[in-house]
Amino acid sequence: MSSPDGQRGPGATFLDEIREQPRALLALLEHDAEFARVAAAARDRGSSLLRMVGHGSSDNAASYGVYAFGLLARWTALRDSISLTTYYGSKLDMSGSTAIALSQSGRTPDVVEYLQNARRAGAFTIALTNNPSSELAREAEAVLPLSAGPELAVAATKTYLNTVAALGLLAAHVAGEGGSFADGLRVVAAQLEQLIPTLEQRVSELANAFAFVGRMFVIGRGPEFATAREIALKLLETCRIAAEPLTATDLAHGPVAALDSLFPVWTIASDDEMLPAVQEAAARVRETGATLVASGTAAESLEGADYVLPVPIPPLPLLTPILSIVPGQLFAWALARAKGLDPDSPAGLSKVTLAL
Amino acid sequence: MSSPDGQRGPGATFLDEIREQPRALLALLEHDAEFARVAAAARDRGSSLLRMVGHGSSDNAASYGVYAFGLLARWTALRDSISLTTYYGSKLDMSGSTAIALSQSGRTPDVVEYLQNARRAGAFTIALTNNPSSELAREAEAVLPLSAGPELAVAATKTYLNTVAALGLLAAHVAGEGGSFADGLRVVAAQLEQLIPTLEQRVSELANAFAFVGRMFVIGRGPEFATAREIALKLLETCRIAAEPLTATDLAHGPVAALDSLFPVWTIASDDEMLPAVQEAAARVRETGATLVASGTAAESLEGADYVLPVPIPPLPLLTPILSIVPGQLFAWALARAKGLDPDSPAGLSKVTLAL
């Protein structure tokens, strides 16, 4: 969004980095052989449990890892508690597990400390980071480069997308299916190249309609719960919306009671085993009179949606979240601008969170 | 809250059940020997991993289980994905793990199905339920009674509190510390008897000030993250507030950017290893101009808090969440009434969620 005299407006960096995602994905794939090697090393160490740690967008991507490792590698994968070992000093035995630290900067102190503890406790330790010369990388037994290139907007986009892709690729290599997953990622990169400019046009209308929205739910289930968490975080940090991620099931267990016509719901519908549950959740949303936004590969299957932002179907179901995050990123960009906010540098945030 | 002619107003059942919590806790302790037996059986089966599943308040209590089992038993405990095995059909090997299903009614279909799958996959299976003759109880190898007595308000209170206590007691028995934990629970029951009437008085002032609030964050960390999740859920379902639970660290990774003077934050401060991080988060909240409510055993240590709802210090740090939930429950009760809502039966909810 350069103006004619070369000056750039609020959100220009954020948008650039959304647009760079297809290239970032291809850059990750240049390191495919390293993913294969690290997967083999984790298998050799007898792992069947994956401990993932990270904050913010990295932690959101870890929600995807639960499904990627559960479905491809048949491993139990969990978003491990950082505080349990780093603050409370619990002495867990972590042998038989792999611990992967997710950190764009590689400098988040409690993530570094977690990894040191995990290594002492017998886990095989991996750093997945955009900065392979960081302290985190030095502390890990294996380093996987996130390869997203410099990310300058405070709100993460391409590092999130590459973290999701990297977790999927690693799981696929553990399962001996790395080749087909990598091929699928190449197709997705091409699909993203087509999708991004199309969505850039479509989100403007939606953004104007949402200029005064103060709260939202974002619903996704299974591998798309990661997408729901990441879209909600983008809306919180760039648009100051109280956006809460929920699974389709969470909604029925309480939160549906809060909905009304001023409380819109974004629903990610992908064409998989959970689609009937997501459709049922969307129907309950509609009953409350709440505005419904539908995205995902099966967005058009949500009856009565007010806004529909579909994404193409990738070669493998587990690749869907790499596409379905994009409507949320672009909506956050457009809505921040409609609200007069700057998604490149939201109030009170810095790119690397060193304290707290 | 009976009126002179015996008629009961909105929220009367919800309040009764909050008041019954000390007795519910003592009723649970009558089954202490069963907890000891089940803990021994889990040890005999070689477990060192605990898989917890449940929805809504039960799932919130599971967040406490991560810390109770991590700190007392040195087990890795996780809130397992239900959809991974029940909808996506992942064939995980669950040997060496214990699976505990948390369900007040014992009738939630996907929780029952999860437990059946877990048993087939080699896990030692436990049902923790308020209905020991339920389908869930029949499918499990061991049954632990929640012993909360009938819970009629749709929004859970005493079943949440007893689920937290039960997970702590089971973890303590696994660690050979069941006796001191049970003694501690008896002290907490007496502390609750004193605390509840005191807080009933104090929450009214707060409720009036919050009558027009539409969104909130609830911050807690470590064992108190469960409390934060449960308070946020009470506010969502009974007061229609978009309340989101966050750890002290989550706040800095994005959500702090959304705060302003119309976006209050409830912070649970307990006197443990995480207190400095919680105090730092509270300071950041104050910088944004947001109203700050402080609760917990260290509530008075949060500088500049607008409202302070302290709770007494229990005999063991891990018992704190059993006390710190009560200010949130009573605030939800008072605020629902101030808003003209009925916490006994929120719109669109039923007590047992059978579908979705």
Side-chain angles (χ1 to χ4, degrees):
Chain A
M1 299 305 281
S2 295
S3 62
D5 63 351
Q7 292 213 331
R8 291 158 54 87
T13 304
F14 189 65
L15 180 61
D16 282 348
E17 292 172 354
I18 294 170
R19 289 172 172 170
E20 286 163 17
Q21 291 179 117
R23 265 174 293 152
L25 200 49
L26 294 175
L28 181 75
L29 281 165
E30 290 174 19
H31 299 272
D32 187 35
E34 293 162 57
F35 280 79
R37 272 198 300 274
V38 172
R43 275 205 315 264
D44 290 348
R45 288 275 291 260
S47 293
S48 63
L49 183 75
L50 182 71
R51 302 169 185 275
M52 298 174 285
V53 293
H55 294 299
S57 295
S58 300
D59 182 46
N60 296 344
S63 290
Y64 170 80
V66 170
Y67 292 87
F69 275 84
L71 291 171
L72 292 169
R74 296 186 185 179
W75 284 18
T76 294
L78 66 138
R79 293 163 45 215
D80 207 4
S81 166
I82 292 176
S83 64
L84 195 52
T85 46
T86 61
Y87 291 95
Y88 294 105
S90 175
K91 302 289 180 206
L92 295 175
D93 176 5
M94 296 193 186
S95 54
S97 62
T98 289
I100 186 164
L102 315 173
S103 172
Q104 180 270 131
S105 70
R107 291 166 59 199
T108 314
D110 63 356
V111 172
V112 175
E113 193 181 341
Y114 172 91
L115 204 75
Q116 292 167 329
N117 290 333
R119 190 169 176 174
R120 274 195 292 269
F124 174 56
T125 51
I126 305 171
L128 177 63
T129 176
N130 216 19
N131 183 359
S133 61
S134 61
E135 188 184 359
L136 184 69
R138 285 195 298 276
E139 296 293 339
E141 290 159 271
V143 181
L144 290 171
L146 202 48
S147 315
E151 186 174 65
L152 302 176
V154 169
T157 51
K158 58 184 183 168
T159 55
Y160 168 79
L161 187 131
N162 269 23
T163 305
V164 168
L167 288 169
L169 186 61
L170 187 64
H173 276 299
V174 168
E177 299 171 27
S180 61
F181 200 88
D183 289 344
L185 283 173
R186 276 181 206 99
V187 173
V188 169
Q191 289 176 314
L192 285 170
E193 283 286 9
Q194 298 263 319
L195 177 65
I196 292 169
T198 311
L199 282 173
E200 280 182 34
Q201 302 301 318
R202 298 193 62 172
V203 292
S204 298
E205 175 203 0
L206 185 55
N208 290 332
F210 277 65
F212 295 99
V213 165
R215 48 200 200 164
M216 285 178 74
F217 288 149
V218 186
I219 294 174
R221 191 144 180 203
E224 297 288 13
F225 184 53
T227 315
R229 294 184 73 205
E230 178 64 5
I231 292 177
L233 181 58
K234 290 308 102 172
L235 294 174
L236 261 170
E237 62 186 350
T238 67
C239 303
R240 308 182 68 164
I241 291 178
E244 182 165 16
L246 297 171
T247 70
T249 309
D250 290 338
L251 181 78
H253 284 266
V256 69
L259 292 177
D260 60 30
S261 60
L262 299 177
F263 200 140
V265 178
W266 182 301
T267 302
I268 302 149
S270 287
D271 191 14
D272 73 4
E273 290 82 347
M274 291 303 300
L275 183 58
V278 171
Q279 288 169 329
E280 193 178 333
R284 293 196 65 171
V285 168
R286 293 295 299 150
E287 280 170 25
T288 67
T291 296
L292 180 65
V293 180
S295 68
T297 58
E300 271 121 351
S301 80
L302 296 191
E303 277 179 38
D306 299 280
Y307 300 92
V308 182
L309 298 168
V311 301
I313 296 171
L316 300 168
L318 268 173
L319 296 169
T320 311
I322 301 172
L323 292 156
S324 57
I325 185 57
V326 178
Q329 293 170 333
L330 284 168
F331 173 63
W333 163 73
L335 181 55
R337 285 163 50 96
K339 287 186 152 193
L341 300 169
D342 182 3
D344 292 344
S345 52
L349 296 186
S350 54
K351 184 66 185 166
V352 181
T353 307
L354 293 177
L356 201 143
Chain B
M1 298 303 283
S2 295
S3 63
D5 63 354
Q7 291 213 330
R8 289 159 54 86
T13 303
F14 188 66
L15 180 62
D16 282 349
E17 292 172 356
I18 293 170
R19 289 172 172 171
E20 284 163 18
Q21 291 180 117
R23 266 174 292 150
L25 201 49
L26 294 174
L28 180 75
L29 282 166
E30 290 173 19
H31 299 272
D32 186 37
E34 292 161 59
F35 280 79
R37 273 198 299 275
V38 171
R43 275 205 314 264
D44 290 348
R45 288 276 291 264
S47 294
S48 62
L49 183 75
L50 182 70
R51 300 169 187 276
M52 299 175 284
V53 292
H55 294 297
S57 295
S58 300
D59 182 45
N60 295 345
S63 291
Y64 170 80
V66 170
Y67 292 88
F69 276 84
L71 291 171
L72 293 169
R74 297 186 185 181
W75 285 17
T76 294
L78 66 139
R79 294 162 45 216
D80 208 4
S81 165
I82 292 175
S83 63
L84 195 54
T85 46
T86 61
Y87 292 93
Y88 293 103
S90 174
K91 302 291 181 203
L92 295 174
D93 175 6
M94 296 192 185
S95 55
S97 64
T98 288
I100 186 163
L102 314 173
S103 172
Q104 180 269 134
S105 70
R107 293 166 61 200
T108 313
D110 63 356
V111 172
V112 174
E113 195 182 339
Y114 172 91
L115 204 75
Q116 293 167 329
N117 290 334
R119 190 169 176 173
R120 274 196 292 271
F124 174 56
T125 51
I126 305 171
L128 177 63
T129 174
N130 216 19
N131 183 358
S133 61
S134 61
E135 189 186 356
L136 183 70
R138 284 195 300 277
E139 296 294 340
E141 289 159 90
V143 181
L144 290 171
L146 202 48
S147 313
E151 186 174 66
L152 302 176
V154 168
T157 51
K158 58 185 183 166
T159 55
Y160 168 80
L161 188 131
N162 269 23
T163 304
V164 168
L167 287 170
L169 187 60
L170 187 63
H173 276 299
V174 168
E177 299 172 27
S180 60
F181 200 89
D183 289 344
L185 284 172
R186 278 181 204 97
V187 173
V188 169
Q191 290 175 312
L192 285 169
E193 282 287 8
Q194 299 261 319
L195 176 66
I196 292 168
T198 312
L199 283 173
E200 280 180 36
Q201 302 302 317
R202 298 192 62 172
V203 291
S204 298
E205 174 203 0
L206 185 54
N208 290 332
F210 277 65
F212 294 100
V213 166
R215 49 197 200 165
M216 284 177 73
F217 288 148
V218 186
I219 292 173
R221 189 142 183 204
E224 297 289 13
F225 184 54
T227 314
R229 294 184 74 205
E230 178 65 3
I231 292 177
L233 180 58
K234 291 306 103 170
L235 294 174
L236 260 172
E237 63 186 350
T238 68
C239 303
R240 308 182 69 164
I241 290 178
E244 182 165 16
L246 297 172
T247 69
T249 309
D250 289 339
L251 180 77
H253 284 266
V256 69
L259 292 177
D260 60 31
S261 60
L262 299 177
F263 200 140
V265 178
W266 182 300
T267 301
I268 303 149
S270 286
D271 190 15
D272 73 4
E273 290 82 347
M274 291 302 298
L275 183 57
V278 171
Q279 288 169 329
E280 192 178 332
R284 292 195 64 170
V285 168
R286 291 298 298 150
E287 281 169 24
T288 67
T291 297
L292 180 67
V293 181
S295 69
T297 57
E300 272 122 350
S301 81
L302 296 191
E303 276 179 39
D306 299 281
Y307 300 93
V308 181
L309 298 169
V311 302
I313 295 171
L316 301 168
L318 268 172
L319 296 168
T320 311
I322 301 172
L323 292 156
S324 57
I325 185 58
V326 178
Q329 293 170 333
L330 284 168
F331 173 63
W333 163 75
L335 180 55
R337 286 163 51 95
K339 286 186 154 194
L341 300 169
D342 182 3
D344 292 344
S345 51
L349 297 185
S350 56
K351 184 67 183 166
V352 181
T353 307
L354 292 177
L356 203 141

